[in-house]
Amino acid sequence: MDEVLLRSLTPSVLTVLVRRGADFAAAEDAVQDALVEALRVWAADPPRDPKGWLVTVAWRKFLDAARADTARRRREDRVEEEPAPGPARPVDDTLQLYFLCAQPSLTPASAVALTLRAVGGLTTRQIAQAYLVPEATMAQRISRAKRTVAGVRFDQPGNVATVLRVLYLVFNEGYSGDVDLAAEAIRLTRQLAGVIDHPEVAGLLALMLLHHARRAARTAPDGSLVPLAEQDRGLWDTELIASGVEILQAALARDRLGEYQAQAAVAALHADAPAAEETDWVQIVEWYDELARLTDSPVVRLNRAVAVGEADGPRAGLAALDGLDTSIPRYTAVAAYLHERDGDPVTAAQLYAEAARKASNLAERDHLTRQAARLNRTVQ
């Protein structure tokens, strides 16, 4: 049973049901039921046309649920006939489904959360971590979003800004999390850039390409994380970097700066440095100042503190941490790094150990634990 195949087919099947008149919440439930059925029967009897099989079974599940609910009987009369078995049209509806989820009846935050859960394949916990909120809070937000759009006909696509936010978070989870979604996010953003001429769409694509270009150097053969300063830059994908820089330069030339272009500019400065010690940290601080103005994001201010520490020294970096919420993810790791650079290995070791306990994935936890152990050995 190929669970990757099932996951890849889910958006298209869900789109078919929504197009045929199912409200989003009922369609999602029907598709999930069909996936469960597929896991049960495909191992012994795999279909010749997996998508057609899933569409047929999911549609039957939806109709069964509709007939059992008297509140839906009037709409049941309007639905089209059950789709016939057989080969389904090989169309990628994923990007369209992203737009359909970005409904005006939802707040942008709720639309993003719902899309990440229903289409992006992320768990509620992963979405909560991306939004810096407790998992229970995010679960309630997604449930409210489902209730809000229940019964809504998804024939009015949502806004580009919400779709960009979803793609950005999907890429981040694929790049740094436990689920590999980065390549899919890049593919969809390329599609979006092909149909929408907007500098922020181009900025997001450039940002993804520049980060993805470093992916081969981010982990050692044993799977451990390699910090940016220690990465083998010979492993970076120079073609992706060149493509990302070209796209970014064209976007910046339009003089409509947005947060994704500013983030891509930071990534481009890292990519442009032949060695870590040649990084233009002063200019990076300036771009983080622009980002802070555009977003007022605590994560941006945390990253700015690191850049200030590199440009003006660790004491300046620690001063830049003052006033930030200490619960921000990686705050403790940043504080540990700056204390180590400031010549305080005891405090740094304690903070690295604390950061390891807070880490959201195993690779990051192992890296921080090794940093703490390294410093503990030096002070003994």
Side-chain angles (χ1 to χ4, degrees):
M1 167 50 50
D2 190 349
E3 295 188 23
V4 174
L5 172 62
L6 284 176
R7 187 164 62 246
S8 69
L9 291 174
T10 298
S12 294
V13 177
L14 186 55
T15 300
V16 171
L17 267 65
V18 169
R19 283 177 174 172
R20 300 189 70 82
D23 67 75
F24 188 87
E28 184 185 19
D29 290 340
V31 172
Q32 292 300 318
D33 288 343
L35 293 177
V36 172
E37 186 72 4
L39 289 170
R40 186 179 69 83
V41 304
W42 281 15
D45 185 23
R48 285 178 295 179
D49 176 31
K51 180 180 175 180
W53 190 98
L54 284 172
V55 168
T56 300
V57 173
W59 190 251
R60 287 172 180 163
K61 297 287 186 183
F62 167 72
L63 290 179
D64 288 344
R67 294 188 184 99
D69 187 349
T70 57
R72 298 176 184 173
R73 289 188 183 278
R74 287 185 298 174
R75 182 168 61 80
E76 182 182 340
D77 294 334
R78 297 196 300 268
V79 298
E80 299 176 10
E81 294 181 355
E82 176 183 329
R89 188 165 56 97
V91 175
D92 182 2
D93 300 312
T94 308
L95 186 58
Q96 182 182 11
L97 193 55
Y98 272 58
F99 271 96
L100 293 177
C101 288
Q103 286 297 300
S105 57
L106 296 173
T107 64
S110 294
V112 170
L114 180 62
T115 311
L116 289 172
R117 183 70 184 92
V119 189
L122 273 64
T123 66
T124 302
R125 181 177 183 182
Q126 290 168 330
I127 302 170
Q129 290 170 349
Y131 269 90
L132 313 182
V133 300
E135 183 176 353
T137 300
M138 182 53 64
Q140 292 175 354
R141 182 179 300 178
I142 293 173
S143 295
R144 285 196 299 269
K146 288 182 178 180
R147 290 195 297 271
T148 299
V149 300
V152 172
R153 291 287 298 218
F154 279 63
D155 53 4
Q156 296 294 323
N159 64 80
V160 175
T162 300
V163 173
L164 287 178
R165 183 63 179 167
V166 174
L167 290 169
Y168 173 76
L169 291 174
V170 169
F171 177 82
N172 280 349
E173 188 59 44
Y175 188 74
S176 61
D178 300 322
V179 180
D180 187 357
L181 298 168
E184 174 69 359
I186 291 174
R187 184 184 69 82
L188 293 173
T189 306
R190 283 191 189 276
Q191 285 188 13
L192 187 60
V195 297
I196 296 180
D197 182 21
H198 192 287
E200 274 293 80
V201 176
L204 179 58
L205 179 57
L207 174 63
M208 290 178 175
L209 295 178
L210 289 164
H211 276 295
H212 207 60
R214 303 198 302 257
R215 187 157 192 174
R218 292 185 69 245
T219 55
D222 63 359
S224 59
L225 288 181
V226 180
L228 177 60
E230 301 172 17
Q231 289 179 12
D232 178 358
R233 300 187 177 216
L235 296 176
W236 291 2
D237 188 326
T238 55
E239 290 187 6
L240 277 186
I241 291 173
S243 179
V245 169
E246 181 181 1
I247 293 169
L248 173 62
Q249 288 174 338
L252 291 175
R254 301 175 66 174
D255 198 24
R256 293 167 58 191
L257 184 65
E259 64 171 300
Y260 300 119
Q261 296 168 74
Q263 287 191 57
V266 172
L269 286 168
H270 283 297
D272 187 54
E277 56 271 17
E278 298 179 59
T279 304
D280 189 346
W281 287 106
V282 173
Q283 194 173 168
I284 288 176
V285 172
E286 293 173 355
W287 278 111
Y288 274 126
D289 287 339
E290 289 286 351
L291 265 172
R293 179 182 62 80
L294 289 166
T295 68
D296 195 31
S297 163
V299 174
V300 167
R301 296 189 182 279
L302 181 66
N303 291 334
R304 179 185 179 277
V306 176
V308 169
E310 298 291 349
D312 301 325
R315 291 286 175 90
L318 287 168
L321 285 180
D322 287 346
L324 293 182
D325 186 350
T326 59
S327 66
I328 301 171
R330 297 188 174 86
Y331 175 96
T332 310
V334 168
Y337 173 73
L338 291 172
H339 275 288
E340 179 184 358
R341 288 203 54 222
D342 194 39
D344 186 357
V346 174
T347 300
Q350 294 171 347
L351 289 171
Y352 276 129
E354 181 182 344
R357 292 191 292 271
K358 298 178 179 178
S360 60
N361 65 67
L362 183 59
E364 184 179 357
R365 186 181 310 127
D366 289 345
H367 171 72
L368 293 168
T369 300
R370 284 193 296 270
Q371 295 295 87
R374 174 180 57 82
L375 290 180
N376 282 327
R377 287 193 299 269
T378 65
V379 297
Q380 287 177 352

